[in-house]
Amino acid sequence: MACIGSGRLCARVEKLYQLGQVAQIRRKTSNYARIKEIGIQPLTRTLVQSCQDGSMRTHQPGPLPERQVDPYHLLEDDLKDIYKDIRQELRKNTNIPELRTIATYYFDGQGKALRPMVAILMARAINCHMYKEKSGLLTSQRQVAMISEMIHSASLIHDDVIDQSDIRRGKPSVNVLWNHKKVAMAGDFILAVASMMIARLRNDDVTMTLSQVVTDLVQGEFMQLGSKETENERFAHYLTKTYRKTASLIANSVKATAMLAGADDALTEVAFQYGRNVGLAFQLVDDLLDFVSSSAAMGKPTAADLKLGLATAPVLFACERFPELNPMIMRRFQEPNDVERAFELVHKSRGLEQTQFLARKHCLEAVRLASSLAESPYQKGLQVVSDLVINRMK
Ligand code: FPP
Ligand code: MG
């Protein structure tokens, strides 16, 4: 069993979790206590255990077993028209041809549809948990799945303008094909149509939950423009940013589907925490793939984060072994050769393994949360999603 680094940063990450700085979860204490009651081990405890001897280890924090369910196959009927329905919703709200074209550009069915898939899986798993054989997917829950993909795509459109991206999902990104003013407005338009769909659900708690996502996305993206002086602050900043930018959408979408099923606070919290853990793991793996995957596999440029001046988990972990990364982080890798040198140091360090280890922890926590739901193919599907997230190559 090889050690990953000295474990100092691991201890700090653990401390951040204990202080609750990760993801400003804003959970109600009573809900959290009930989650513990039903036997869900918080991530913090497993991290404490791995860090107790002052080191994290390369052995996996537990096996992710082979499971028998393919969630995309399971939800084939629910998902097959999801992009078509989104395009229709967008088209019916404008008669401006160019706005229609830009707004529907990313809904071509080539995306992973991860967010709708997870939202519907959770909806169906919760429905089975609560209503057993009488359960079916509610129209409102499917709407949440669509809304979550629309908020996601609206944010990607804005992100592509900000990042001056060239390529997404293997095709030219929106900002390459149309001018930035039109692209930004098309993103706003998608968001506006999504807001109308939220309003139509006529559920104040769901409206609050899904509106929180947009506030988080904007704050997450804003936080990414700044960095912090000390290593401690930097990791806290990174984790909160990661929650807001990525995990909040998944967490709050699955939470909304649980609310629409009439779930009580404890069950809603299980759904939320499942989404939060999957979301954090997804972004950690994304940050890892940026260092190891090829552009062809990803359908977007790699090593992009360093070029954008961003220090993600692999760099933050690598910093512990190579403190010369600190000044590079502070100047956002702007000096000649910074990007190349940082890339090399990350590969020489254990930063990639440590990032994967953290992602795996979150996946295991998600599996544990899903296992507290009644057994059903959808409950198993939620566990498979966690396996897919940790094993994904693009
Ligand atoms: C992708 O990041 C970007 C996001 C997940 C969120 C972006 C959020 C905003 C631009 C705020 C505005 C939000 C709305 C809803 C209008 P990335 O650059 O790390 O990923 P990439 O490599 O896929 O581009
Ligand atoms: Mg981007």
Side-chain angles (χ1 to χ4, degrees):
M1 274 192 301
C3 287
I4 301 181
S6 72
R8 272 192 302 125
L9 188 51
C10 162
R12 278 190 218 119
V13 171
E14 169 57 19
K15 190 83 189 152
L16 293 172
Y17 275 90
Q18 285 172 343
L19 290 170
Q21 291 178 19
V22 177
Q24 44 77 59
I25 302 157
R26 292 197 203 110
R27 60 186 162 226
K28 295 176 198 154
T29 321
S30 57
N31 287 348
Y32 193 56
R34 287 192 64 188
I35 289 176
K36 281 207 228 168
E37 255 170 48
I38 56 174
I40 294 154
Q41 189 184 33
L43 173 65
T44 46
R45 212 180 310 154
T46 41
L47 261 180
V48 169
Q49 279 158 3
S50 0
C51 296
Q52 258 168 359
D53 61 357
S55 62
M56 290 176 90
R57 310 219 177 255
T58 51
H59 75 96
Q60 306 305 352
L64 291 171
E66 288 277 316
R67 299 176 220 276
Q68 303 297 316
V69 177
D70 173 354
Y72 285 105
H73 184 63
L74 193 63
L75 303 182
E76 209 171 331
D77 287 345
D78 298 328
L79 289 173
K80 72 175 165 14
D81 291 330
I82 208 112
Y83 286 111
K84 188 176 115 227
D85 294 347
I86 292 173
R87 288 198 302 271
Q88 197 172 325
E89 198 63 54
L90 292 168
R91 285 198 189 112
K92 85 175 185 219
N93 280 290
T94 177
N95 56 10
I96 304 173
E98 197 178 16
L99 182 56
R100 279 183 171 176
T101 309
I102 306 173
T104 56
Y105 182 69
Y106 281 148
F107 300 110
D108 60 357
Q110 298 308 304
K112 291 186 277 284
L114 177 83
R115 288 150 190 86
M117 187 265 277
V118 177
I120 295 176
L121 263 185
M122 181 59 83
R124 284 193 173 275
I126 294 271
N127 295 355
C128 284
H129 182 86
M130 292 178 68
Y131 306 111
K132 311 215 160 46
E133 68 280 359
K134 285 194 212 91
S135 63
L137 184 68
L138 301 172
T139 309
S140 56
Q141 291 173 321
R142 190 169 178 280
Q143 289 283 303
V144 169
M146 287 167 63
I147 291 164
S148 100
E149 188 67 3
M150 291 168 78
I151 296 176
H152 175 57
S153 293
S155 78
L156 291 185
I157 286 179
H158 282 266
D159 179 71
D160 283 343
V161 173
I162 295 167
D163 289 351
Q164 301 177 4
S165 162
D166 297 321
I167 179 168
R168 180 174 295 282
R169 295 176 186 163
K171 66 182 191 178
S173 42
V174 266
N175 50 302
V176 173
L177 299 179
W178 294 280
N179 87 47
H180 290 182
K181 292 178 189 173
K182 287 180 177 174
V183 167
M185 279 183 280
D188 293 342
F189 176 72
I190 297 170
L191 207 51
V193 175
S195 305
M196 286 157 71
M197 291 165 70
I198 295 172
R200 261 189 254 130
L201 297 174
R202 303 201 179 281
N203 182 319
D204 287 349
D205 290 337
V206 169
T207 302
M208 286 299 293
T209 300
L210 294 175
S211 307
Q212 180 67 48
V213 173
V214 183
T215 342
D216 284 337
L217 277 167
V218 173
Q219 291 184 89
E221 189 73 2
F222 205 89
M223 285 177 80
Q224 192 167 277
L225 299 174
S227 52
K228 295 284 170 197
E229 291 276 345
T230 68
E231 278 179 53
N232 265 352
E233 284 178 324
R234 235 180 256 147
F235 219 95
H237 189 265
Y238 167 78
L239 290 169
T240 304
K241 183 271 310 171
T242 300
Y243 169 74
R244 289 177 171 168
K245 213 183 107 173
T246 308
S248 169
L249 176 57
I250 302 175
N252 283 301
S253 301
V254 294
K255 178 179 173 181
T257 66
M259 286 170 147
L260 289 165
D264 66 9
D265 285 355
L267 191 53
T268 304
E269 182 70 2
V270 169
F272 175 83
Q273 291 297 340
Y274 170 88
R276 185 181 75 87
N277 279 286
V278 163
L280 291 173
F282 184 86
Q283 189 58 50
L284 285 162
V285 173
D286 212 60
D287 293 344
L288 176 77
L289 288 175
D290 198 48
F291 282 91
V292 296
S293 192
S294 70
S295 310
M298 296 290 279
K300 60 184 183 183
T302 50
D305 291 336
L306 289 175
K307 289 177 201 152
L308 287 169
L310 305 178
T312 57
V315 186
L316 297 177
F317 278 122
C319 242
E320 193 169 38
R321 170 126 176 243
F322 298 110
E324 66 174 283
L325 283 163
N326 280 311
M328 288 189 222
I329 292 173
M330 289 319 292
R331 58 181 184 250
R332 296 179 77 87
F333 312 103
Q334 288 305 303
E335 283 191 8
N337 212 34
D338 275 358
V339 168
E340 294 73 13
R341 180 74 183 136
F343 192 83
E344 188 189 327
L345 292 177
V346 165
H347 280 273
K348 275 192 185 158
S349 75
R350 317 301 296 261
L352 296 170
E353 283 161 270
Q354 286 170 299
T355 304
Q356 198 197 29
F357 190 93
L358 193 55
R360 195 172 281 269
K361 288 276 185 195
H362 284 291
C363 284
L364 285 171
E365 180 65 359
V367 168
R368 189 166 27 244
L369 285 155
S371 69
S372 70
L373 300 176
E375 255 191 54
S376 72
Y378 311 107
Q379 178 241 21
K380 285 214 167 50
L382 288 170
Q383 297 180 331
V384 171
V385 164
S386 163
D387 302 351
L388 292 177
V389 166
I390 199 72
N391 292 321
R392 82 193 176 103
M393 299 302 290
K394 59 178 187 166

